[in-house]
Amino acid sequence: KELRQAIRFAETAYGKQSAQYLREVTVGGGLPVISTLRDLLNSGDSIRRVDGILSVSWSYIMHRLAPPSAVSNIVDFDEESTSGAYSPRHSMSPKSHGDPCLFSAAVKEAIGLSLMEEDPMKDLTFEYTAKCLLVLAIELGVDKDHDVESILQTNLSPAEQGKVFEDIAPSLDTLMAERVAQAAARGCVPRHISSIDVKSGEIEIKIVDVPNSHIFATTPPSNECVRFFTARHRRFPLIVQGPSAGVDSTASALLAELLHLMRTKVGPRSGTLSRTGSSAVLA
């Protein structure tokens, strides 16, 4: 909280000369989550709820445990209908492979793909997701009564904090296999879903059973999916979806945010931003 207060002071203390903290890559990696949220608010919309898949590691793991039905048909359609634009081999979107596997096997695959830390407990205990949600809460102005610790205390993960993954892997395998079977009996798949209710200020991280046809079910492995329910987007939320992991994804998001900052700072006398090919340069 002290760090948040210091950042908030730095952002407001000196008017137009105040510091600007670039938060885009802290939520959704290379996806325009923060910028979309700000554009909605700046255009006069009112955000009611933000929810979605905000952990690339949990996205991959849950997809490996319970892939949606007919997922291969989706891939075939995209390959045939996009004139080569779609490629399942793109480095930012690792392809899920093989039949559904145990939870511990999916975790090891995610580590091998660099989708999570060597110590997977930081992701499995919801710590990373809680940090992302706190950033969103700050942007939405509902962070007053929340910090990472309080979010974790009210949203318990299947993986208990303070444990070693190898020690709890067998029990997690059993627990998650049962959860997948129970969801399948109802035509659903379990997914790791986070949410912020702006009206109540409630922040949640849960494993939720969603219908096989729901966008959370069909979101590809290692991708994230964020929905904005607003005054203008109530029945059909505004959705930001795509791969967020990888150096190329994060680097492109950082560059985009820096260029946006430069556009607000560079005036006609000191230079302008211009494009050459696919790059932006300061002329």
Side-chain angles (χ1 to χ4, degrees), residues 39-117:
D39 286 345
L40 288 168
L41 294 176
N42 291 337
S43 66
D45 206 348
S46 176
I47 297 177
R48 176 66 175 80
R49 175 184 173 88
V50 179
D51 67 12
I53 299 172
L54 286 170
S55 167
V56 66
S57 55
W58 274 101
S59 170
Y60 181 86
I61 292 167
M62 299 310 293
H63 198 283
R64 288 289 288 119
L65 295 184
S69 59
V71 65
S72 60
N73 294 340
I74 297 173
V75 173
D76 292 341
F77 174 80
D78 286 340
E79 288 185 320
E80 294 173 2
S81 65
T82 58
S83 302
Y86 172 84
S87 173
R89 294 173 296 279
H90 197 287
S91 61
M92 283 170 30
S93 184
K95 185 177 180 180
S96 176
H97 55 281
D99 296 326
C101 64
L102 292 174
F103 184 85
S104 58
V107 170
K108 292 177 181 179
E109 289 179 6
I111 294 174
L113 290 167
S114 299
L115 297 177
M116 60 195 314
E117 302 292 337

Side-chain angles (χ1 to χ4, degrees), residues 108 118 120-121 164-170:
K108 292 177 181 179
E118 289 293 332
M121 294 302 288
V164 178
F165 175 69
E166 287 74 14
D167 294 339
I168 62 175

